[in-house]
Amino acid sequence: MRITRLKLTNFRQHADTTLEFDSGLTGIIGPNGAGKSTILEAIAWVLYGGSILRGTNETIRFQRAPARSPVRVELDFELGGHRYRVLRGLSMAELYLDGAAEPIANSVTTVAEMLQRRLGMTRTEFFNTYFTGQKDLAVMQALSASERAQFLSRVLGYEKLRVAQDLCAARRRELTSEVAGLRSGMPERDVVLRELALATEALHGATKLHEEAERVAQETELAFADVAPRWQAAQAGREERERIERELAGLAAEEQALLRNVEKLDAELAQVAEARAQLAPMLPDMDALERADEALKQQASLKESHAQRRLLETSRANLTKDCAALEGEVARLRDSAAKAEPLAKDVADRRAELERAQGKLELRRTEWVRERESVESRLRTLRETYADLRDQRDVLLNAGEAGNCPTCTRPLGEHFRAVLETVERQLETVEADGSYFRTRRDQLEAMPADIEHLDELRKKLYADVTALERRLTEAQQDAKRLVAEEQELDSKRTRLASVAADLAALPIGYDAAEHARLEAERERLAERSTLANRLSMRIEREPALQRDRESTLRQRDDVIARRQAAEARRTSLRVPEGDYGELRRLYDGIVDARNEAAAKAAVAKGNRENAAAAAERAAQAKTAYEVLASKVAALESDRRVHDELHRAYSELRNELNFQLRPEIGEIASELLKTITDARYTELELDDKYRIQVLEDGVPKPVISGGEEDVANLVLRLAISQMIADRAGQAFSLLILDEVFGSLDDVRRANVVSLLRGLEDRFDQVIVITHIEAVRDGLDRVIQVGVDEETGAAKVTQVDTAVAALQGAEAAA
């Protein structure tokens, strides 16, 4: 893995930081708290997501950034011949491959999972190998012996063998369970064969019984074929006679019903003749009803016009009253509106007078307040001066002639009396001035008469202005109302003229008594009309009744003809009763024998089919047994293979773990020799994977804290170097965070030289430190500071080789 670019936006201290990385040894240097380790945290966060962050989303965001400002970290890196760009925010993540415009993953979960697969390490494994901090150097010391072995196996790739062995063991358990399950469901082989033999014998017996039953059934079927036609002919003749009898009974009933219909129709025709006789005297009343309807419509129209006239007259009276009231109000509003302009002039004049009086009052009040404050200030000064002079006098009196002057500190001697008198005169002067200013303060305590007069004048002018403004407002409002009232008056006058026109157009002549008489007459004639309509409807049915009577008579004649034909067919039938009974007994006996033979044949057939099915099932059971036996044999063979594979994985893991400690110790010893200037030349891991520093080939029992840090550092570097070797340079990055803290200057320089010696293993080595002294041994420096104005981290990048060349040229 090779980092090329990192951009931080509102992440911790970094408001807007962009870092470019190159090959070689790069140092990130700056004071504590400036944001150096935040760069390491940002790399981890963008790769593995939010679980590594300290704090909440709000504490992650740059403190001086506006609320809801975006938090972004963007990382460009190379891995396995591909270029990756990762963009992560508080609630989003995107992963781009080889400069593509569209991401190959675009959710928080999928980006983290895909990067973990591509890197081949979890976040913990990544930080315990390629990222190393001072506080993380002794990560293995906190683990138990077995945990240390598992940790080293995991980070060096040996743990994959354990995973494979676990998979092998799981498969072996599955095979064992599957074999046991198959065996538990398998029957005994002898039982299967015995059941097959019994089923075959039963099938043979059932087949013979079925053949005998089929022979008997065929014999009864031939006898039935001989008797059945004769029985069917006799039965058909008997059924025909019974059908004719039923037909004759139905025709007789139908003939009686038709006779009743003819009688009913004759009665209805008699009612029609009676209705015609009743309708003749009612015809004159029908014409009178039409005339009464016309006269009643005319009176109803006049009544409606009469009611509308009364409403219009009421509306005319109301409109006349409203117009009179509006005319008075309009006249009043015109008078009031005419006063608006003179009032506006009076208000302007009086307001100007008020402003002049207000200015004089403010000026005079300001002079009074300023003088009173001046007197108070002068009194405070005099009090302080009096207190100082009184203290000087007390000092002089206490010191006497032998004392020193309180101001110049020279001996008083013969000047004592003169100095004392001077001080006392000053005290008297201050007391006199204080008495004067206290009197003046008392005089200024009350408001002067001219100010009170000006204030009364201002209040009177203010009241006058307020009253005039109120009157002006009323006049202006009346002017506005005048327009609306004039419009309403014009509208009501127009409506009054319209009402008068509508009254003139309405007809007159409504007579309530005549209207009532016509309604009573119309009701009487309507009752007569209703009765006449019912009689007319009855008369109108006469043609239909005549047609129904003629049709019914024709139907009765047809029924009589059909009855006579049926009687003739009944007479022609000849069915011998004696032959029918004997034939029936013979037929029933043959049918019973036929049914019994068919039932026995069906039972025999079913038994044969059941026996055949049982034989088939027995044969299938034998086949299934053979298949299961073959499958169990194959599974047991597979299980034996997995047993052998599990044993081989165990032996291989033991061999690799046996070789692990010497190899790590050899690499770590070379690094320790370089970093300590050959002070210590050997380091090894004991059988519990604990670090031991050897001195002259003997484990050193006690080492100092600094020596322990050096040992842990070279162990971590050895692990990283082994991983790089086994990865075939797939990972070319090493980051060290504050690993110089416990080292002296010489060992710091040795560590830097050691890191340079790892260039063939790690293309990029990045050290994070607050120690400026290591700057000269680095290829480039990323200086991290704090901008005092913004509070954000301030980052500058310097190529030390170029800077050194420029410094040499400047010195030359």
Side-chain angles (χ1 to χ4, degrees), residues 52 126 172 222 278 286 304 312 321 376 399 424 443 453 463 467-468 491 511 517 673 677 679 708:
I52 61 92
F126 197 44
R172 184 175 60 177
L222 292 173
Q278 292 176 358
M286 298 300 99
E304 185 178 353
L312 289 173
K321 182 179 178 182
E376 288 289 348
E424 288 179 343
Q443 292 173 351
H453 173 72
L468 287 171
S491 174
D511 187 347
R517 186 192 68 78
K673 180 179 180 180
D677 273 342
R679 169 68 178 83
E708 184 178 9

Side-chain angles (χ1 to χ4, degrees), residues 614-629:
E616 179 66 23
R617 288 194 299 272
Q620 291 176 353
K622 180 176 179 293
T623 302
Y625 173 84
E626 293 172 350
V627 171
L628 285 175

Side-chain angles (χ1 to χ4, degrees), residues 441-510:
R441 182 188 62 187
D442 294 340
Q443 292 173 351
L444 294 172
E445 192 67 29
M447 183 182 292
D450 58 338
I451 295 178
E452 291 181 353
H453 173 72
L454 288 172
D455 189 43
E456 290 297 329
L457 177 61
R458 180 193 63 79
K459 290 178 180 179
K460 180 179 180 304
L461 289 173
Y462 180 77
D464 293 344
V465 168
T466 301
L468 287 171
E469 287 177 342
R470 187 182 303 110
R471 291 172 59 193
L472 175 61
T473 300
E474 292 175 354
Q476 291 172 341
Q477 291 177 348
D478 288 343
K480 293 179 180 179
R481 286 182 56 202
L482 176 61
V483 177
E485 294 293 338
E486 286 177 343
Q487 291 177 351
E488 186 175 0
L489 178 59
D490 292 340
S491 174
K492 287 186 179 294
R493 285 173 176 171
T494 301
R495 288 170 57 194
L496 183 60
S498 176
V499 168
D502 291 343
L503 280 170
L506 287 175
I508 58 177
Y510 173 67

